[in-house]
């Protein structure tokens, strides 16, 4: 039985999402690992340039903040456009077609502006939620007369809004690049698509978080033995986990639409023909 036949029953299954993501990922490792490496290299280069620019201008602090802000915006745009290209490649594979890297890149670049705006809006809301949970709320609780230990013990509960934002907007990039929606419309679309499946999506995201945590633990174990090996392992593991997470976003969006709307991979990706 195909994945489309299973999810067309109206049931969104975590096992289907992870199984399809694994098959897509393993089938085109060079693409799903290589493109993120190029993106992260570009992101690093932008941040390095933003750090050098104020020094060239004589240490101007105003310029330093401006260059940093611009670097953040550019890097968010680069990451989101790259993620869109990975997503399109994933849909090509879901249809059983050869991976066409050029077509994936062209399509993602054609949606560059809405993707960049979407990345800034999504990140801004998520950052505000995290800052309120980790700094503002603990400070308010502490000033109310409770201990700092109790204040920070409540942080996991306070992070619930950030987790909710992450889950309900997990399909914003697919909605933007596949359906051609604008930034706000993509957020609304993802909110609607994830309705009824958010705990399952949270479980998938939690698994990715645990994989990242496992990588950091391995790094701590290896570091005393070999700093060089630890330096190589940490970014390599990060790239692998994030690349697989991108594949799960692809299959999550696909299975949500199949389960809720009864469409298949061919109908979803027909926009690229």
């Amino acid at each position: 039985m195909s994945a489309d036949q299973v999810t067309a029953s109206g049931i969104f299954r975590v096992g289907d999402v992870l199984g399809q993501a694994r098959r897509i990922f393993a089938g085109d490792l060079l693409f799903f690992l290589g493109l993120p490496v190029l993106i992260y290299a570009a992101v690093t280069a932008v941040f390095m340039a933003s750090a050098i620019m104020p020094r060239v201008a004589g240490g101007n602090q105003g310029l330093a903040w401006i260059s940093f802000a611009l670097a953040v915006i550019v890097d968010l745009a680069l990451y989101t456009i790259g993620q869109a290209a990975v997503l399109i490649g994933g849909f090509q594979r879901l249809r059983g077609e050869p991976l066409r890297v050029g077509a994936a890149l062209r399509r993602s670049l054609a949606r560059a502006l809405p993707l960049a705006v979407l990345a800034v809006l999504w990140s801004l809301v998520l950052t505000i939620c995290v800052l309120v949970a980790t700094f503002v709320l603990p400070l308010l609780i502490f000033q109310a007369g409770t201990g700092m230990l109790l204040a920070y013990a409540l942080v996991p509960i306070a992070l619930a809004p950030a987790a909710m934002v992450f889950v309900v907007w997990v399909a914003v990039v697919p909605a933007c690049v596949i359906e051609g929606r604008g930034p706000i419309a993509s957020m609304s679309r993802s909110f609607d698509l994830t309705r009824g499946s958010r705990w399952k999506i949270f479980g998938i995201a939690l698994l990715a978080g645990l994989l990242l945590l496992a990588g950091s633990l391995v790094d701590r174990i290896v570091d005393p033995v070999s700093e060089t090996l630890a330096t190589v392992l940490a970014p390599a593991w990060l790239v692998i986990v994030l690349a697989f997470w991108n594949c799960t976003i692809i299959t999550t969006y696909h299975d949500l639409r199949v389960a809720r709307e009864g469409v298949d991979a061919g109908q979803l990706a027909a926009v690229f023909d």
Side-chain angles (χ1 to χ4, degrees):
M1 183 179 291
S2 71
D4 286 340
Q5 289 174 320
V6 173
T7 50
S9 64
I11 301 173
F12 175 82
R13 293 188 174 93
V14 172
D16 291 340
V17 169
L18 295 178
Q20 289 184 91
R22 179 186 59 78
R23 287 190 291 273
I24 292 171
F25 182 60
D28 291 283
L29 279 175
L30 183 60
F31 174 73
F32 289 111
L33 290 176
L35 186 55
V37 167
L38 293 176
I39 294 167
Y40 301 145
V43 165
T44 302
V46 170
F47 266 123
M48 289 178 63
S50 72
I52 294 172
M53 194 178 300
R55 297 177 191 173
V56 175
N60 187 303
Q61 288 299 312
L63 181 60
W65 282 107
I66 292 172
S67 62
F68 176 77
L70 289 174
V72 169
I73 293 171
V74 171
D75 283 343
L76 284 173
L78 284 173
Y79 176 81
T80 308
I81 293 168
Q83 185 186 51
V86 171
L87 179 151
I88 296 166
F91 269 110
Q92 292 171 350
R93 301 304 293 142
L94 277 174
R95 298 173 72 186
E97 297 179 352
L99 184 64
R100 302 189 302 275
V101 180
L105 290 172
R106 284 193 299 272
R107 177 67 186 186
S108 62
L109 288 172
R111 299 289 297 163
L113 182 57
L115 284 169
V117 175
L118 177 62
V120 172
L121 291 176
W122 184 91
S123 300
L124 182 61
V125 174
L126 186 63
T127 300
I128 290 172
C129 290
V130 172
L131 289 177
V132 169
T134 55
F135 293 103
V136 179
L137 194 59
L139 182 60
L140 291 176
I141 295 173
F142 178 72
Q143 289 179 340
T146 61
M148 185 59 76
L149 183 61
L150 175 61
Y152 277 102
L154 295 174
V155 166
I157 298 174
L159 281 171
M164 184 182 299
V165 165
F166 191 84
V167 168
V168 301
W169 286 343
V170 73
V172 289
V173 174
C176 182
V177 74
I178 295 292
E179 301 179 38
R181 296 174 183 262
I184 301 299
S186 296
M187 291 178 171
S188 177
R189 174 64 166 158
S190 181
F191 185 89
D192 289 336
L193 275 178
T194 57
R195 200 189 307 272
S197 303
R198 289 168 186 163
W199 279 111
K200 293 178 181 179
I201 297 170
F202 176 76
I204 296 171
L206 183 62
L207 175 62
L210 291 175
L211 289 173
L212 285 175
L213 179 61
S216 66
L217 291 176
V218 170
D219 180 57
R220 288 178 179 273
I221 294 172
V222 172
D223 187 60
V225 179
S226 172
E227 268 187 58
T228 303
L229 182 59
T231 303
V232 172
L233 280 177
W237 183 252
L238 177 64
V239 168
I240 291 170
V241 173
L242 291 182
F244 183 73
W245 169 248
N246 283 332
C247 291
T248 64
I249 291 177
I250 297 165
T251 54
T252 293
Y253 170 77
H254 169 266
D255 284 13
L256 284 172
R257 288 205 60 186
V258 172
R260 292 178 66 88
E261 302 170 353
V263 298
D264 61 24
Q267 291 171 299
L268 286 175
V271 67
F272 304 127
D273 296 332

